C-alpha cells in the first residue's frame, strides 16, 4: 500500500512519511544557528510590528490590576518599591532582566545540542511553539506594563537607576513595542529552561538551581515593574501549549525520547 501504510509509533498511528519526520535526527550546527537567529529576528520583527494600541493597552492594564485586587494578589507595587529601595539589589535585577533571559535560554539549547541530541529537536519545538503562541497574545491583547500605568505609582527602575534593563525603557523604548506585556516570555522561557534541566539532569545542585531560576525570574519581572503576576500565568499557559505541540508531533515529551539521535549513513 506504499505511503498509505500505517505504522504505530509511541501508541498512535502514523504514516511512514510522518514517522520519518518524527524520528529524532542529529542536529546540524550550522542549521540550528541559522534557525535560531532567523527565528528570533522574525519574533522581534512581528512583536514590534504589532500596533502600539496605547489606550487599549492601558485599559487592559487597569482591568488586570483590578482583577488582581479582587483576587488578593495585587502586591506588585509593594514588591517594586521594596526592591527599588535597595540600590544594589534593583540594579542587579535590571541587569538580570536584560541578560539572563537570552543567555540562559541559549545556554540550555547548547547543552541540549551537545548532551541530548535525540531530545534537542522536540525541546526546541516546544520553545518555538511557546514563543509563537505568545505572539498571538501580543496581537490580541495589548497590555501596558505596570511601570507605564499613570495611576499605579510604580517605579520604572531602569530610568531611576540609569541601567539598561529593558528595551522598553529609556532611549531604547522606541525600538520595542512597550505594550506587549501579556504573556511574559521571561516566564515562558525560564520555565522551559528550568523544567528541561530538571527533567534531564541527575545532578542535585543543578536541579535546585534550575528550579530556582523561574522563581527568581518571576520576582525580577515584578520587582522591575515590567509585568503583573497574571502576565506570568500567561507565559506558563503558552509553555503548556508549546509542550503539547511537541508532544503531539513527536509522540512524547522531550525527556521521554532517546538521548541519542539517528544519523544518516555517509556515502
Amino acid at each position: 500500500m506504499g505511503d498509505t501504510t500505517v505504522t504505530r509509533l509511541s501508541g498512535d498511528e502514523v504514516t511512514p512519511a510522518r514517522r520519518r519526520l518524527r524520528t529524532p535526527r542529529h542536529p546540524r550546527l550550522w542549521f540550528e544557528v541559522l534557525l535560531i537567529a532567523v527565528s528570533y529576528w522574525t519574533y522581534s520583527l512581528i512583536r514590534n510590528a504589532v500596533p502600539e494600541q496605547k489606550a487599549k493597552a492601558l485599559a487592559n492594564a487597569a482591568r488586570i490590576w483590578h482583577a488582581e485586587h479582587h483576587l488578593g494578589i495585587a502586591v506588585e507595587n509593594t514588591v517594586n518599591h521594596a526592591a527599588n529601595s535597595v540600590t544594589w539589589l534593583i540594579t542587579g535585577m535590571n541587569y538580570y532582566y536584560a541578560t539572563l533571559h537570552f543567555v540562559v535560554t541559549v545556554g540550555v539549547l547548547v547543552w541540549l545540542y551537545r548532551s541530548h541530541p535525540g531530545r534537542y529537536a522536540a525541546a526546541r519545538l516546544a520553545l518555538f511553539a511557546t514563543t509563537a503562541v505568545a505572539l498571538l497574545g501580543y496581537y490580541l491583547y495589548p497590555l501596558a506594563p505596570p511601570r507605564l500605568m499613570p495611576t499605579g505609582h510604580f517605579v520604572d527602575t531602569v530610568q531611576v537607576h540609569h541601567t539598561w534593563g529593558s528595551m522598553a525603557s529609556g532611549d531604547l523604548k522606541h525600538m520595542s513595542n512597550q505594550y506587549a506585556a501579556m504573556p511574559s516570555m521571561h516566564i515562558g522561557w525560564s520555565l522551559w529552561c528550568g523544567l528541561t534541566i530538571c527533567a534531564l539532569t541527575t545532578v542535585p545542585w543543578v536541579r535546585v538551581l534550575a528550579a530556582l531560576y523561574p522563581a527568581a525570574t518571576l520576582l525580577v519581572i515584578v520587582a522591575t515593574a515590567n509585568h503583573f503576576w497574571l502576565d506570568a500565568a500567561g507565559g506558563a499557559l503558552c509553555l503548556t501549549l508549546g509542550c503539547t505541540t511537541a508532544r503531539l508531533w513527536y509522540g512524547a515529551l522531550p525527556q521521554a525520547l532517546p538521548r541519542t539521535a539517528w544519523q544518516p549513513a555517509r556515502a
Side-chain angles (χ1 to χ4, degrees):
M1 288 183 284
D3 289 341
T4 60
T5 301
V6 174
T7 305
R8 186 168 297 277
L9 176 65
S10 300
D12 58 350
E13 293 184 345
V14 295
T15 63
R18 188 180 175 196
R19 181 179 60 175
R20 287 193 295 271
L21 288 173
R22 291 172 61 172
T23 300
R25 297 170 180 263
H26 198 281
R28 293 164 292 179
L29 180 59
W30 69 268
F31 176 78
E32 294 303 325
V33 171
L34 180 62
L35 178 63
I36 292 171
V38 171
S39 297
Y40 184 73
W41 176 80
T42 303
Y43 163 76
S44 299
L45 184 68
I46 295 174
R47 181 182 186 274
N48 295 333
V50 173
E52 290 195 0
Q53 304 176 66
K54 181 177 180 179
K56 188 174 181 180
L58 290 172
N60 286 337
R63 293 188 187 98
I64 290 284
W65 192 226
H66 176 76
E68 290 194 350
H69 275 91
H70 183 72
L71 294 171
I73 60 173
V75 297
E76 289 93 333
N77 190 283
T78 301
V79 175
N80 172 234
H81 282 266
N84 185 66
S85 66
V86 184
T87 301
W88 65 266
L89 176 63
I90 197 60
T91 299
M93 286 183 169
N94 285 338
Y95 289 127
Y96 179 115
Y97 186 88
T99 60
L100 292 193
H101 177 51
F102 305 102
V103 172
V104 176
T105 304
V106 171
V108 173
L109 283 169
V110 171
W111 173 68
L112 285 169
Y113 176 88
R114 292 176 58 88
S115 301
H116 298 268
R119 296 158 177 160
Y120 174 86
R124 187 238 293 140
L125 175 59
L127 179 65
F128 281 23
T130 297
T131 306
V133 174
L135 288 174
L136 289 176
Y138 301 147
Y139 184 83
L140 296 174
Y141 195 79
L143 180 69
R147 59 186 174 76
L148 292 183
M149 291 180 64
T151 59
H153 305 293
F154 288 93
V155 178
D156 188 332
T157 61
V158 172
Q159 289 191 336
V160 169
H161 297 280
H162 307 290
T163 56
W164 49 274
S166 172
M167 284 292 290
S169 293
D171 294 335
L172 297 177
K173 65 183 179 182
H174 302 295
M175 299 172 59
S176 179
N177 185 351
Q178 297 189 81
Y179 304 110
M182 171 66 85
S184 168
M185 277 299 91
H186 274 74
I187 292 300
W189 288 13
S190 65
L191 278 173
W192 176 85
C193 291
L195 291 173
T196 298
I197 294 174
C198 284
L200 297 179
T201 188
T202 57
V203 182
W205 67 268
V206 174
R207 298 186 74 179
V208 170
L209 288 179
L212 290 176
Y213 175 53
T217 300
L218 176 59
L219 177 61
V220 166
I221 67 172
V222 171
T224 56
N226 279 293
H227 289 284
F228 297 100
W229 297 120
L230 291 181
D231 298 347
L237 177 59
C238 288
L239 178 62
T240 300
L241 296 174
C243 289
T244 299
T245 300
R247 169 67 177 82
L248 291 173
W249 181 255
Y250 285 97
L253 290 173
Q255 62 267 27
L257 295 172
R259 180 169 184 166
T260 57
W262 175 78
Q263 299 190 59
R266 294 183 179 180

